[in-house]
Amino acid sequence: MKFLVISDLHGNLDVLDRMDEQFKNADAVLFAGDFTKFGAPETGKPALEKLCKKHDVIFSVIGNCDDPEFIGDIEAADISVQKTLVNHEGLCFAGSGGGSKFTGETANERTDEELLSDFNIIIEQGQAEWNNLIAIMHNPPKDTECDKVAPEVHVGSPLLRKFIDDYKPLAVITGHIHESAGITKTESTTIINPGALTDGKYAVLEVEKKEGRWSVTNCQLMSL
């Protein structure tokens, strides 16, 4: 199964029209939030509507620039995996939305405990390993290639990192930190920050199931 991995659209409708071939070649789209341009909440809904016209199968959360109430819009569009668990083609998708508290200047900044709570549906089931889970979290987990604002400065979520270490999803899709596009691997999990789609950055993820277990067969950062 081939996924188009995107994040941080920030109201840039033009870039979506430059991605028609990428949408066409994907079995599904994984979007890690920030539909909305910083400080312009009116840009969120047009971005959502245009994205939904590009593909029939989208799994998404909202970002720190999106109003918390915008979760209702992506739920109405039937693309939300935030605070829930969605099954598709033998895979599970769950998500956490918003970003860590920082400046207080964006609409959807949350505590670490609040970010983690979106995965309660996973935690409460008590299953130790989720080999068929793709977790989408706008805020990156701590101490990876995907959460650095400087070479030695990691600003990701400690609790989201612990969630990954404890439940071992197949893959994690994140975003938020534009300057930290990257792919990293923990013991069991491939973590991808595709970079900001508003800047023409995206990624491709391919997975397959063999002998009862899922594995990542291809993962690449791309740019228009």
Side-chain angles (χ1 to χ4, degrees):
M1 188 176 298
K2 183 175 182 179
F3 297 100
L4 174 61
V5 179
I6 54 177
S7 186
D8 297 87
L9 175 59
H10 292 295
N12 187 345
L13 304 185
D14 292 339
V15 76
L16 291 176
D17 287 332
R18 297 165 59 198
M19 297 278 291
D20 283 344
E21 192 67 22
Q22 287 85 350
F23 282 107
K24 179 182 176 181
N25 291 333
D27 296 309
V29 178
L30 309 178
F31 182 70
D34 271 354
F35 293 83
T36 306
K37 184 178 179 180
F38 176 78
E42 70 278 4
T43 62
K45 193 162 186 177
L48 169 62
E49 291 173 347
K50 189 151 196 174
L51 176 62
C52 288
K53 291 177 181 177
K54 295 298 181 180
H55 206 284
D56 292 333
V57 184
I58 302 172
F59 303 103
S60 177
V61 299
I62 62 173
N64 65 298
C65 288
D66 301 315
D67 190 281
E69 300 301 318
F70 196 66
I71 185 67
D73 292 86
I74 70 167
E75 288 173 348
D78 199 26
I79 67 170
S80 177
V81 297
Q82 189 168 323
K83 299 184 181 180
T84 191
L85 184 63
V86 176
N87 296 292
H88 178 76
E89 302 287 340
L91 290 166
C92 296
F93 299 85
S96 170
S100 294
K101 288 187 177 294
F102 183 50
T103 63
E105 295 177 355
T106 56
N108 195 17
E109 296 183 14
R110 310 172 71 200
T111 67
D112 221 27
E113 289 77 14
E114 288 171 329
L115 295 175
L116 178 64
S117 72
D118 285 354
F119 288 118
N120 280 346
I121 194 168
I122 301 293
I123 296 167
E124 290 168 358
Q125 294 190 43
Q127 181 176 321
E129 181 181 2
W130 286 76
N131 171 252
N132 66 333
L133 174 65
I134 295 179
I136 304 175
M137 52 183 74
H138 181 69
N139 199 93
K142 191 170 176 59
D143 294 331
T144 72
E145 293 301 310
C146 303
D147 75 320
K148 296 190 293 186
V149 294
E152 301 300 327
V153 181
H154 294 269
V155 295
S157 161
L159 290 182
L160 290 180
R161 174 58 189 269
K162 186 175 187 302
F163 170 82
I164 293 168
D165 292 340
D166 287 347
Y167 296 97
K168 302 174 177 59
L170 172 67
V172 166
I173 311 304
T174 188
H176 187 44
I177 310 298
H178 294 199
E179 60 267 45
S180 198
I183 299 169
T184 193
K185 183 84 184 282
T186 66
E187 180 182 353
S188 305
T189 303
T190 299
I191 303 170
I192 309 157
N193 179 346
L197 183 58
T198 189
D199 298 326
K201 305 292 182 63
Y202 65 99
V204 172
L205 170 68
E206 296 181 70
V207 303
E208 68 175 11
K209 188 177 184 180
K210 284 186 177 180
E211 298 179 354
R213 287 189 64 82
W214 288 90
S215 63
V216 172
T217 57
N218 180 40
C219 186
Q220 298 182 62
L221 297 179
M222 311 290 280
S223 183
L224 290 175

